Amino acid sequence: MTFSNWLKQALVLISRAPLLWTGYTLFIGLLLGIERVSLALGIFLAVTGLFVGVGIAKYIDIKSSTGTSLNFYQAITKSLPLAVLAAGSLVICWFVFRVAANIYSGELYKIGYFFFYWELTTEHLNNKSMHQIAAWLYLPAIITLLFTLLMLTTFANWFSYPLMLFRDYSWSQARQRGNEASVKNQAAMYKLLAFIFAAVFIGAGIIPLLTPVLYMLVSTLMYVSYKTVFEPA
């Protein structure tokens, strides 16, 4: 398997349902902005949306390649419980790190800001270009995506979520099988992660409005890489 093959398949899959992906991307774009009001809720919704996108990718793949009549909402509800569980776990990890940092810095009053801190003020919005507003609005979403990738590569692996979702593996089983697959496809995995990190930094600094598109692309790449490794034709 090669990264270029995964990227090509992801783009093809996106092109099969442009309207659905456009709606998904716009919806994700709205969710990502919530982090400027409640970081905890924003992280939860962003990560949930990212992982639900993996289920949407499979829905589009099956429907477009086999012509099978599938229920879109059933595809969402199937992936939602596991996505919520993963998102909740990441929120807890982030909160633990934040509490430790606030205790270390002596700023205990900031612990509550994790759950609610209204930042949509004139100070951040007035007299700013669209680029500046987008860069500020989506910066927490960029950090959330990086944190998610860090947690995946540290405590699980890239293939863990689709293995748990599509094969009903336990976390330990998914981690073991995913690690084995990552080692066998090490070169492709390095290129994949390097591409995502490069795209994240480009999105954060140059074209921040593409941040929701990046979430959609990561979801699709997660699905197609899983499919080619574990469900070869």
Side-chain angles (χ1 to χ4, degrees):
M1 303 299 171
T2 64
F3 165 67
S4 60
N5 183 43
W6 288 345
L7 182 59
K8 180 180 178 180
Q9 289 188 48
L11 296 176
V12 169
L13 189 58
I14 292 170
S15 69
R16 290 179 182 173
L19 292 179
L20 179 55
W21 282 124
T22 298
Y24 168 82
T25 302
L26 292 175
F27 183 66
I28 287 292
L30 293 175
L31 295 182
L32 298 183
I34 294 176
E35 289 185 274
R36 287 300 185 182
V37 176
S38 171
L39 186 57
L41 180 60
I43 294 170
F44 178 80
L45 294 176
V47 177
T48 299
L50 176 70
F51 286 133
V52 166
V54 179
I56 294 176
K58 182 167 186 176
Y59 162 82
I60 293 172
D61 184 36
I62 294 177
K63 187 171 183 179
S64 60
S65 60
T66 66
T68 304
S69 179
L70 298 174
N71 189 308
F72 174 71
Y73 295 102
Q74 287 182 343
I76 296 292
T77 54
K78 175 177 173 55
S79 57
L80 193 57
L82 186 57
V84 166
L85 180 61
S89 300
L90 285 166
V91 169
I92 293 173
C93 290
W94 193 312
F95 179 64
V96 170
F97 292 147
R98 188 180 178 98
V99 168
N102 290 149
I103 292 175
Y104 180 78
S105 63
E107 299 175 315
L108 298 180
Y109 66 94
K110 288 187 177 180
I111 294 176
Y113 290 172
F114 182 72
F115 299 99
F116 180 80
Y117 186 55
W118 188 271
E119 295 184 89
L120 301 177
T121 62
T122 55
E123 177 185 355
H124 293 115
L125 301 177
N126 285 356
N127 301 317
K128 301 288 179 64
S129 66
M130 181 60 69
H131 180 276
Q132 291 174 317
I133 293 175
W136 170 80
L137 185 66
Y138 287 139
L139 179 59
I142 290 291
I143 297 173
T144 297
L145 183 57
L146 291 174
F147 184 79
T148 302
L149 293 176
L150 176 62
M151 291 294 100
L152 281 177
T153 54
T154 303
F155 297 105
N157 59 73
W158 175 258
F159 298 107
S160 291
Y161 177 78
L163 283 171
M164 294 171 71
L165 177 61
F166 302 131
R167 293 201 169 189
D168 296 323
Y169 280 10
S170 66
W171 176 82
S172 59
Q173 289 175 318
R175 188 177 186 216
Q176 179 180 353
R177 288 295 307 279
N179 285 339
E180 293 171 357
S182 296
V183 171
K184 289 181 181 179
N185 300 275
Q186 192 172 62
M189 289 303 304
Y190 282 147
K191 292 179 181 178
L192 172 65
L193 293 174
F195 170 80
I196 293 175
F197 278 103
V200 165
F201 286 112
I202 290 173
I206 301 176
I207 318 175
L209 280 173
L210 291 182
T211 301
V213 177
L214 181 58
Y215 268 71
M216 178 263 291
L217 181 59
V218 170
S219 296
T220 312
L221 282 169
M222 189 173 289
Y223 169 70
V224 298
S225 58
Y226 155 82
K227 180 187 174 183
T228 54
V229 172
F230 293 97
E231 297 180 359

